[in-house]
Amino acid sequence: MLFSVLTVPAALFVSATVQAHVSVTSKTAFAGSYYEATLAVPHGCDGDDTYKVVMTIPGTFGKVRAIHSSFGPSSIETIMDGETITSYTVTWERSGNVSEADTESYNFGFRTKLPDTPFTSIHFPTVQYCRDDETLEESTSEWVGTAGHDHDSTSDELPAPSLFIYPKRYPGWNQYTVDEHIHDLSVFDDAEIVWFGTSAYSSNPVTMEMIRADGNAGVLEQIHPGSEIWVKY
């Protein structure tokens, strides 16, 4: 059966597309681990340069520390509801004048401990503040949309940067129970193969052809909450 014979490592294909949105671009995030994240701001607002960025991090994360940036100083505000931390607000503000035109991109970093919530996408609502070099007129871009895979959503909000939390893994087979609906199986592109029941997925096109050709197997296209899956790394 295909489950037992597929042991060839899958190829990992990395896209070289340019990030047009404000996004979190960092290494794989494992649930419950200490993590250093990078917030990438690839452009300004309507032709004006960025002078301030304000990011909200959920309170389910551990203590947040901003990483020093040549952009300017940072500050962190901890938002409380009684004795419970509800969120952290991290602000990076430019220490000098803005550029004459929107010609630069910026990276902002922070360190934290990730929540133990595997197979979830965490959103970081972010507001980008820009300023015209001559008139000093200000503008903003609000990256706060969290519609995600809600196909019925008509929201025109700019998408908030997000981070997918992976479960802890070991070389070989791993068994997981998935509590979230996973529409995009590319989150498993660094795995050799993913099995649910008799359906399977792999980023390796050769492996996918083997799955399609196997009369006892089907192609796995999405994973529903409560599913028990097997993943081989």
Side-chain angles (χ1 to χ4, degrees):
M1 186 178 176
L2 192 62
F3 185 99
S4 61
V5 301
L6 280 179
T7 58
V8 181
L12 175 61
F13 298 97
V14 180
S15 172
T17 57
V18 176
Q19 293 286 346
H21 298 152
V22 172
S23 59
V24 173
T25 57
S26 304
K27 63 182 181 180
T28 303
F30 294 108
S33 67
Y34 288 94
Y35 192 73
E36 183 174 307
T38 299
L39 176 70
V41 179
H43 54 72
C45 322
D46 299 324
D48 294 333
D49 193 24
T50 303
Y51 80 89
K52 184 170 69 172
V53 173
V54 180
M55 180 185 201
T56 300
I57 300 173
T60 52
F61 283 63
K63 184 177 181 179
V64 175
R65 291 182 179 273
I67 298 173
H68 176 75
S69 170
S70 59
F71 181 84
S74 62
S75 62
I76 299 177
E77 181 183 3
T78 302
I79 311 300
M80 306 287 294
D81 181 5
E83 297 183 356
T84 302
I85 298 175
T86 59
S87 63
Y88 304 91
T89 300
V90 186
T91 301
W92 292 272
E93 188 158 4
R94 200 181 189 99
S95 55
N97 296 328
V98 295
S99 299
E100 294 181 1
D102 177 18
T103 57
E104 298 184 68
S105 60
Y106 304 100
N107 289 333
F108 306 93
F110 63 93
R111 292 189 179 94
T112 185
K113 185 177 182 181
L114 300 177
D116 191 12
T117 54
F119 297 116
T120 60
S121 289
I122 309 296
H123 293 88
F124 306 99
T126 300
V127 180
Q128 177 185 9
Y129 297 83
C130 302
R131 180 184 292 145
D132 184 277
D133 177 57
E134 294 183 355
T135 66
L136 302 184
E137 182 178 350
E138 298 186 359
S139 57
T140 61
S141 291
E142 298 185 1
W143 304 89
V144 298
T146 59
H149 291 287
D150 182 1
H151 301 294
D152 297 325
S153 174
T154 58
S155 173
D156 57 358
E157 292 179 323
L158 296 173
S162 63
L163 182 68
F164 187 82
I165 307 294
Y166 287 82
K168 297 175 183 177
R169 67 175 66 163
Y170 300 94
W173 287 105
N174 295 261
Q175 184 181 21
Y176 302 117
T177 298
V178 180
D179 294 327
E180 302 292 329
H181 195 167
I182 302 178
H183 298 263
D184 182 6
L185 296 187
S186 67
V187 298
F188 296 109
D189 276 1
D190 61 339
E192 294 184 24
I193 194 167
V194 182
W195 278 96
F196 169 66
T198 58
S199 298
Y201 167 83
S202 175
S203 64
N204 188 319
V206 175
T207 304
M208 284 301 293
E209 286 303 315
M210 295 175 66
I211 294 170
R212 294 187 180 96
D214 190 314
N216 296 317
V219 175
L220 182 62
E221 297 181 345
Q222 58 182 309
I223 300 173
H224 294 277
S227 299
E228 184 178 279
I229 64 173
W230 288 85
V231 184
K232 190 173 191 297
Y233 290 101

